[in-house]
Amino acid sequence: MTSAQIIDGKAIAQRKQAEMAEVVANLSLQIDRPPGLAVLMVGDNPASAAYVRNKERACQKLGIASLGQHFAAEVGQAELEQVIDRLNQDDRVDGILVQLPLPEHLDATALLNRIAPNKDADGLHPFNLGKLVRGEEGLRSCTPAGVMALLHEYNLDPAGKTAVVIGRSILVGKPIAMMLLEANATVVMAHSRTKDLKSVVQNADILVAAVGKPNLITAELIKPDAIVIDVGINRITDATGKSRLVGDVDFAAVSEVAGHITPVPGGVGPMTVTMLLHNTIWSYCRKHGISYS
């Protein structure tokens, strides 16, 4: 029996995307083109291919032009840099995203840094991360921004709460810590070198798990009525040979203790795509001097 309230990211994402579709439809009447998003995918990673398909379908549903390209796994760094340079100059393109992970011979950081900051749909350019650190308006990393949107939708104000973030990646851990700090939480970061994870996590009013280890977070670690945000996505195979997605949190057990919890799938994931679309529309509006938040 689940006692925690489920934070339904899928339902919120659907509602927000419906609202964005209306915005795009109205703006497309004023401006002679729709917003444009270019997703660059390299190779045939099945998970990446599924993510890209989801993004392309979402673009189609919202009326956003999908201008992405798919490259063979052997593509060179120079070719990709030239493609990004062209997209930076293309007036039809408002957002550019390089689908990660990339093959090992490619320098992902150099490619991400080559994207024009005003077209950085994933919010990972140093310029935009710097804006986040300074608390200035700008494009925000999609998954952390999605987490903050979920907290807002459920009226879960981080102000004054102790927030523990497990994981310190530039994709999720570091930017979500900055966003929670900006929202006046007291933020503690835990990671692989944290000596006593249990004592750190047990103080969390808000726990964000972003590590990539199935069932790392067990019920005994959770403070009663804590808000548990599970960013982890792990594919496991059960005894019957069937595979399924699970998070970093032991959902069934933790649900008995927590006050609110995100499921996997259906929690943070749908909001990541939603914030990508939001960023694309934001850049589109900014280019045309239109306010959009």
Side-chain angles (χ1 to χ4, degrees), residues 129-179:
L129 290 169
K131 289 262 192 180
L132 171 60
V133 171
R134 291 178 59 88
E136 296 175 1
E137 186 181 47
L139 292 163
R140 298 289 192 243
S141 306
C142 296
T143 298
V147 170
M148 297 305 293
L150 288 175
L151 294 176
H152 177 75
E153 288 292 324
Y154 279 79
N155 296 312
L156 301 171
D157 186 359
K161 293 184 172 66
T162 297
V164 175
V165 178
I166 308 178
R168 52 181 168 179
S169 74
I170 200 66
L171 288 171
V172 180
K174 288 176 181 174
I176 191 61
M178 294 307 305
M179 291 179 197

Side-chain angles (χ1 to χ4, degrees), residues 33-47:
R33 66 171 183 86
L37 173 64
V39 178
L40 306 183
M41 180 179 159
V42 178
D44 296 303
N45 180 302

Side-chain angles (χ1 to χ4, degrees), residues 16 26 36 41 74 105 111 123 138 149 243:
K16 284 190 169 294
N26 290 331
M41 180 179 159
E74 300 76 28
H105 71 280
L111 293 172
S243 69

Side-chain angles (χ1 to χ4, degrees), residues 15-74:
R15 180 171 59 74
K16 284 190 169 294
Q17 288 184 29
E19 292 169 358
M20 285 190 278
E22 285 189 27
V23 170
V24 171
N26 290 331
L27 288 173
S28 295
L29 295 175
Q30 303 173 41
I31 301 166
D32 62 357
R33 66 171 183 86
L37 173 64
V39 178
L40 306 183
M41 180 179 159
V42 178
D44 296 303
N45 180 302
S48 292
Y51 291 140
V52 170
R53 281 195 302 273
N54 286 341
K55 290 164 185 172
E56 289 173 345
R57 278 198 295 264
C59 282
Q60 185 177 19
K61 192 166 68 174
L62 267 66
I64 293 173
S66 185
L67 304 166
Q69 299 178 50
H70 187 181
F71 301 88
E74 300 76 28

